[in-house]
């Protein structure tokens, strides 16, 4: 094989990703994310703006050991002062960073309107700031903001900005599609012109936003056109529609022949198997449920539902998969559904350690029950744990851990002494555990929360076992609206082993549906603790 060229991955989750609505990293979050990125093999980690905000200053002050180059982000110096007299630039250079990324205007309209200086003054700011960073012994790079729009408005000025940065000693000149509207073929054409104007591709980077859904495509077009540094964020977070998803980029560059035959990353085949864990670990830290449809790493990325696809898939996975899921640490999933045939069921049960022969009459009964229940609103492909419990009840046995005699929920809306509306929910659950009757009462932030608290308040000898059970997500869906509407509730649970499982409940009554899903969740947890269930969930 001919010598492959190195592509450098630059992650800006901690800087540009922080612009995402609802996301605000603490110093501890930033350290944890930087370690995850470093461990994975990302080349550059952009940490934020040291000197400009306290969290980022504290983050950069932490000593760290790792291979990734920690990169500080900030502005070029202001016009009219020398680089050494610009406090922002000085703080940036003084920070504990390996590299400094300076953002520079490259669209003449922005130079005039936002900075209020002349085009030549802007070029001088770029040159002097880059020189100051390089003189301090740090790797300098320049983000040419609005580069592609600037190029279209004034080609020669945009090129002059990039060239000035390169000639002043910037290791990387990063071309930014700041507004995210540029198309892949434009990216390729413009980068070809930049390279023809004298900046080698080995010194160029791409920073793409996803406003037309093409941030990854634009980044790949840029690689093909010659750039050697690619910027992105974990799971594509970022303001508006997000940045290029660095997870998708890493997988595509590493696994697709048209890229991996020519380029290599700082991540080997073994490292790439951490990809799914990295994506989910990041969502975990953000306390949000992972998107099941993310390329490569989503729970549905290698899932199939249709019967004929599933049986072909079992014969030869390549028939319906573009890559082997194990290469990115994901797993193939053939889902239980009303379209699935018998072989589907047997395989799904096998994955859970439940062995049943093809002509066992209990299997036919289970299939009938699943189909009936799915017709009445249950969705087992989204509720793995409830499916497993149902199968175990039909084929094996689920111990009677406890018995619920009855429950009652009351919701009261009243005014407090200041005349403000207050809503109070209270639940009473009557249980029987080991022939002992237990009655628990609890208040909650809503009827379901009160019910959950009451159910789990006193489970007798099982109480310690469910101490680490937490509800991570709760989804309600109203099926076939109108007066006969049915409610489906899906609950996601998690415990200290980091295992997640979904349970389902269906009823005309939302509280009853929630209660079914809660009961399944607790029972599944007790089964899992005894290693009687949860094999597939722990994979
Ligand atoms: Zn950006």
């Amino acid at each position: 094989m001919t010598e492959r060229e190195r592509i450098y991955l630059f992650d800006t989750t901690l800087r540009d990703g922080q612009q995402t609505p609802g996301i605000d990293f603490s110093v501890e979050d930033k350290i944890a994310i930087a370690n995850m990125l470093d461990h994975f093999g990302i080349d550059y980690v952009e940490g934020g703006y040291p000197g400009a905000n306290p969290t980022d200053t504290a983050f950069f002050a932490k000593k760290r050991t790792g291979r990734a180059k920690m990169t500080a982000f900030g502005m070029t110096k202001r016009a009219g002062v020398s680089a050494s007299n610009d406090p922002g630039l000085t703080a940036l250079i003084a920070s504990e960073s390996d590299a400094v990324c300076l953002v520079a205007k490259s669209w003449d309209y922005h130079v005039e309107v936002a900075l209020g200086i002349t085009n030549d003054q802007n070029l001088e700011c770029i040159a002097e700031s880059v020189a100051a960073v390089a003189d301090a012994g740090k790797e300098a790079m320049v983000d040419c903001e609005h580069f592609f729009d600037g190029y279209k408005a004034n080609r020669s000025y945009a090129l002059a900005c990039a060239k000035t940065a390169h000639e002043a000693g910037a290791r990387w000149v990063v071309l930014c599609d700041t507004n995210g509207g540029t198309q892949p073929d434009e990216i390729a054409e413009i980068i070809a012109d930049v390279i023809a104007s004298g900046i080698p591709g080995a010194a160029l980077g791409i920073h793409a936003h996803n406003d037309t859904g093409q941030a990854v495509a634009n980044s790949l077009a840029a690689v093909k056109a010659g750039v050697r540094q690619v910027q992105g964020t974990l799971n594509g977070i970022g303001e508006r529609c997000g940045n290029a998803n660095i997870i998708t980029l890493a997988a595509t560059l590493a696994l697709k022949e048209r890229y991996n035959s020519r380029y290599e990353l700082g991540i080997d085949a073994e490292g790439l198997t951490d990809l799914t864990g990295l994506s989910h670990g990041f969502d975990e830290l953000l306390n949000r449920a992972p998107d099941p449809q993310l390329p490569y790493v989503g729970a549905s990325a290698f899932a199939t539902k249709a019967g004929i696809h599933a049986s072909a898939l079992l014969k030869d996975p390549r028939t319906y998969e573009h890559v082997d899921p194990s290469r990115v640490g994901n797993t193939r999933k053939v889902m239980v559904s009303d379209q699935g045939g018998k072989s589907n069921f047997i395989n799904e049960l096998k994955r859970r350690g439940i062995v049943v022969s093809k002509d066992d009459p209990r299997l036919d009964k289970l299939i009938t029950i699943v189909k009936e229940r799915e017709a009445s609103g249950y969705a087992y492909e989204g509720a793995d744990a409830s499916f497993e419990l149902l199968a175990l009840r039909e084929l094996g046995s689920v111990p009677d851990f406890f018995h619920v005699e009855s429950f009652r929920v009351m919701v009261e809306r009243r005014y407090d002494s200041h005349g403000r509306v207050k809503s109070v929910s209270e639940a009473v659950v009557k249980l029987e555990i080991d022939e002992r009757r237990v009655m628990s009462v609890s208040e909650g932030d809503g009827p379901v929360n009160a019910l959950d608290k009451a159910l789990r308040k006193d489970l007798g000898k099982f109480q310690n076992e469910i101490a680490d059970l937490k509800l991570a997500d709760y989804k309600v869906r109203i099926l076939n609206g109108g007066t006969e509407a049915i409610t489906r509730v899906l609950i996601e649970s998690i415990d200290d082993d980091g295992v997640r499982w979904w349970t389902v409940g269906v009823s005309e009554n939302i509280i009853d549906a929630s209660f079914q899903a809660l009961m399944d969740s607790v029972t599944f947890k007790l089964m899992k603790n005894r290693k009687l269930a949860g094999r597939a969930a722990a994979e």
Side-chain angles (χ1 to χ4, degrees):
M1 202 197 288
T2 50
E3 184 85 3
R4 294 187 299 168
E5 285 184 72
R6 180 79 150 77
I7 301 288
Y8 294 84
L9 292 178
F10 182 108
D11 182 278
T12 183
T13 302
L14 301 179
R15 199 273 301 171
D16 224 6
Q18 173 116 285
Q19 303 300 316
T20 313
I23 286 181
D24 193 14
F25 300 124
S26 66
V27 179
E28 290 70 29
D29 291 338
K30 287 201 156 200
I31 293 168
I33 296 164
N35 288 340
M36 285 160 71
L37 291 165
D38 182 55
H39 177 81
F40 178 61
I42 295 288
D43 299 291
Y44 293 88
V45 172
E46 192 165 57
Y49 308 72
N53 83 56
T55 305
D56 291 357
T57 306
F59 169 71
F60 276 92
K62 293 268 179 203
K63 274 269 164 287
R64 72 194 92 240
T65 54
R67 287 175 306 159
K69 287 184 182 169
M70 208 47 64
T71 308
F73 182 86
M75 313 262 273
T76 52
K77 76 169 190 70
R78 285 167 302 148
V81 293
S82 68
S84 58
N85 280 329
D86 187 285
L89 184 62
T90 311
L92 211 54
I93 292 173
S95 69
E96 290 286 332
S97 60
D98 307 298
V100 171
C101 182
L102 299 163
V103 58
K105 305 276 180 211
S106 54
W107 184 352
D108 59 354
Y109 173 73
H110 280 263
V111 172
E112 188 195 326
V113 174
L115 297 180
I117 59 175
T118 67
N119 284 351
D120 283 343
Q121 279 176 310
N122 183 48
L123 295 179
E124 183 206 304
C125 290
I126 296 173
E128 286 188 19
S129 305
V130 168
V133 171
D135 285 348
K138 296 200 174 198
E139 190 171 317
M141 52 187 104
V142 172
D143 264 8
C144 291
E145 199 184 40
H146 297 292
F147 182 81
F148 296 94
D149 294 313
Y151 176 98
K152 285 187 258 181
N154 183 341
R155 172 183 171 271
S156 67
Y157 188 67
L159 289 176
C161 292
K163 270 185 110 155
T164 300
H166 178 62
E167 282 162 11
R171 164 68 185 89
W172 294 106
V173 177
V174 182
L175 309 176
C176 301
D177 186 25
T178 310
N179 292 353
T182 311
Q183 298 302 295
D185 55 342
E186 291 178 286
I187 295 268
E189 283 166 26
I190 294 172
I191 289 173
D193 192 26
V194 173
I195 292 173
S197 80
I199 309 177
L204 291 173
I206 180 76
H207 175 104
H209 278 264
N210 203 33
D211 297 74
T212 70
Q214 305 202 84
V216 167
N218 282 347
S219 305
L220 294 171
V223 168
K224 283 253 147 173
V227 314
R228 294 294 172 258
Q229 188 208 86
V230 184
Q231 301 202 346
T233 58
L234 286 171
N235 296 341
I237 67 162
E239 65 183 327
R240 306 189 309 275
C241 312
N243 289 51
N245 185 342
I246 205 161
I247 301 259
T248 312
L249 280 167
T252 300
L253 289 167
L255 296 177
K256 294 294 170 186
E257 204 267 336
R258 59 197 298 105
Y259 301 108
N260 68 20
S261 60
R262 294 173 57 184
Y263 317 117
E264 63 181 346
L265 302 174
I267 301 158
D268 59 13
E270 202 200 317
L272 199 69
T273 62
D274 290 339
L275 201 67
T276 300
L278 174 66
S279 172
H280 293 183
F282 177 62
D283 281 328
E284 192 78 59
L285 207 131
L286 295 181
N287 197 23
R288 62 178 197 179
D291 176 356
Q293 294 201 299
L294 279 181
Y296 298 100
V297 296
S300 301
F302 301 96
T304 188
K305 183 168 163 178
I308 51 160
H309 287 194
S311 56
L313 190 72
L314 292 174
K315 281 184 200 125
D316 181 0
R318 282 169 303 180
T319 48
Y320 285 97
E321 282 170 3
H322 72 110
V323 296
D324 178 350
S326 67
R327 300 191 69 184
V328 290
N330 206 344
T331 47
R332 178 174 308 130
K333 208 159 141 197
V334 179
M335 292 184 295
V336 181
S337 83
D338 53 4
Q339 293 167 61
K342 216 170 185 176
S343 59
N344 247 5
F345 267 88
I346 294 177
N347 215 272
E348 275 305 287
L349 295 170
K350 209 162 88 191
R351 259 190 69 219
R352 295 168 172 80
I354 306 168
V355 181
V356 57
S357 84
K358 209 172 168 182
D359 32 56
D360 188 328
R362 293 176 304 170
L363 178 64
D364 296 308
K365 196 177 162 214
L366 174 66
I367 294 173
T368 310
I369 293 173
V370 168
K371 290 193 174 181
E372 276 170 11
R373 290 192 150 219
E374 291 204 325
S376 73
Y378 287 82
Y380 286 110
E381 75 245 19
D384 243 37
S386 285
F387 171 73
E388 190 168 339
L389 286 177
L390 181 65
L392 286 169
R393 282 188 184 116
E394 287 307 315
L395 301 170
S397 63
V398 177
D400 255 333
F401 294 108
F402 57 91
H403 172 72
V404 179
E405 216 166 80
S406 67
F407 72 82
R408 192 173 69 227
V409 182
M410 187 195 75
V411 181
E412 188 188 356
R413 193 169 190 271
R414 60 169 181 243
Y415 294 93
D416 66 10
S417 54
H418 303 282
R420 287 180 299 233
V421 173
K422 211 173 161 229
S423 170
V424 183
S425 299
E426 188 186 277
V428 181
V429 177
K430 289 183 187 163
L431 301 165
E432 204 185 291
I433 306 164
D434 279 346
E435 286 166 31
R436 183 176 70 97
R437 288 192 69 219
V438 178
M439 185 176 88
S440 301
V441 182
S442 188
E443 288 192 340
D445 294 333
V448 176
N449 180 243
L451 190 59
D452 176 41
K453 282 162 99 174
L455 174 66
R456 295 203 271 152
K457 195 171 184 176
D458 182 3
L459 272 188
K461 62 180 178 186
F462 305 119
Q463 193 60 33
N464 289 340
E465 284 192 46
I466 57 160
D468 65 334
L469 168 64
K470 283 182 211 72
L471 303 188
D473 204 355
Y474 175 83
K475 286 183 193 157
V476 179
R477 176 109 183 257
I478 310 295
L479 308 164
N480 61 29
T483 46
E484 286 168 38
I486 295 172
T487 305
R488 175 201 294 156
V489 168
L490 284 166
I491 288 179
E492 185 186 28
S493 307
I494 185 167
D495 66 9
D496 283 354
D497 298 339
V499 175
R500 291 171 176 275
W501 63 93
W502 283 92
T503 52
V504 63
V506 172
S507 169
E508 292 103 51
N509 178 319
I510 185 171
I511 306 293
D512 188 50
S514 306
F515 188 73
Q516 293 172 25
L518 282 172
M519 281 289 290
D520 268 7
S521 171
V522 172
T523 308
F524 186 81
K525 168 71 176 160
L526 295 175
M527 294 287 282
K528 174 183 168 287
N529 288 355
R530 285 163 185 72
K531 307 216 182 314
L532 295 172
R535 238 172 79 161
E539 261 172 21

